[in-house]
Amino acid sequence: MGKIGRANDRREAALLSVFGPAQVGDPLAPDREVADADRERDQALRTEFVRVVGADGRPYLVERPVEG
């Protein structure tokens, strides 16, 4: 029986698929401030693009038609 942590150990991969990777940050820490540039970028993405799901099931962004 091998140790968990070896590259070819399937048990570790199975555990990670259930529990996910370790959390690095402190879950009790206050949220960080969002920069103005990030807010503007998010607003532009939400107003200028539409999320569409293709025939293969993958989502992608399509530019909204300009009205006016």
Side-chain angles (χ1 to χ4, degrees), residues 10-23:
R10 288 188 224 150
R11 292 175 294 166
E12 181 181 15
L15 287 173
L16 284 175
S17 69
V18 175
F19 297 109
Q23 294 294 323

Side-chain angles (χ1 to χ4, degrees), residues 35-54:
D36 289 337
D38 289 339
R39 260 194 210 106
E40 291 173 9
R41 179 177 174 270
D42 184 61
Q43 183 65 28
L45 282 173
R46 292 178 186 273
T47 56
E48 298 173 12
F49 295 94
V50 178
R51 175 178 275 175
V52 179
V53 179

Side-chain angles (χ1 to χ4, degrees), residues 13-35:
L15 287 173
L16 284 175
S17 69
V18 175
F19 297 109
Q23 294 294 323
V24 178
D26 180 8
L28 300 177
D31 293 336
R32 67 174 178 83
E33 291 293 320
V34 178

